Amino acid sequence: MPRHSEIKHRIVTSFQRRIVNPLTVRLPTQVLLETTGRNSGLPRRTPVGGRRVGREFWFVSEYGEKSQYVRNIKADPRVRVRIKGRWHSGTAHLIPRDDSRARLRTLSRFNSAAVRALGTHLLTIRVDLTD
């Protein structure tokens, strides 16, 4: 019998993949994370909420290593992040020892509330920007 968190994960990710993400990736102000598909080798874009701090971009994955983009990062940490309409290359680092709930308090209130409400396996990610 699936656990509550597994059912929640399936429902939320299905809704995000089919409805939310296709709409938000088209918004010019939406921050996007672009990874390389670990199987296809194709670019994969995912809306994320985070904050740039100097040469770093911080965000929290709501499903940790269950997230497809986290699996892609593990296979190839080279990513791009679109911030304020401009693409930046960088290297993503999973930071499992970071206090993800504390990190969310430093990020966008709206996105952080959604991640806290929907997330089951929070994981902090830092992207070291190279341009």
Side-chain angles (χ1 to χ4, degrees):
M1 182 130 230
R3 293 188 343 236
H4 173 72
S5 65
E6 291 172 13
I7 294 168
K8 182 179 178 181
H9 175 256
R10 285 186 205 154
I11 291 169
V12 172
T13 56
S14 180
F15 178 72
Q16 287 174 328
R17 190 176 304 125
R18 290 184 175 92
I19 297 169
V20 176
N21 290 1
L23 296 173
T24 57
V25 296
R26 292 186 171 104
L27 298 173
T29 58
Q30 174 65 51
V31 175
L32 296 179
L33 173 71
E34 184 180 84
T35 61
T36 301
R38 63 193 177 283
N39 295 319
S40 69
L42 298 173
R44 301 294 183 202
R45 292 182 177 173
T46 305
V48 295
R51 173 167 284 147
R52 182 178 182 159
V53 180
R55 304 288 299 159
E56 300 171 337
F57 181 78
W58 291 85
F59 66 103
V60 175
S61 168
E62 58 201 340
Y63 295 111
E65 295 192 21
K66 290 179 118 184
S67 295
Q68 297 301 316
Y69 66 85
V70 172
R71 292 176 181 184
N72 290 343
I73 287 169
K74 287 177 77 173
D76 183 354
R78 293 170 300 170
V79 300
R80 293 193 323 148
V81 183
R82 187 180 76 181
I83 306 167
K84 297 182 181 177
R86 183 169 175 253
W87 285 100
H88 303 271
S89 297
T91 304
H93 303 276
L94 308 180
I95 317 289
R97 295 182 189 261
D98 191 60
D99 183 343
S100 297
R101 292 200 176 274
R103 179 71 55 192
L104 284 170
R105 289 192 289 276
T106 70
L107 305 176
S108 159
R109 237 191 272 174
F110 176 75
N111 183 75
S112 294
V115 170
R116 273 192 299 276
L118 302 174
T120 58
H121 298 86
L122 303 182
L123 174 65
T124 300
I125 301 171
R126 183 190 78 231
V127 177
D128 295 335
L129 303 171
T130 56
D131 63 356

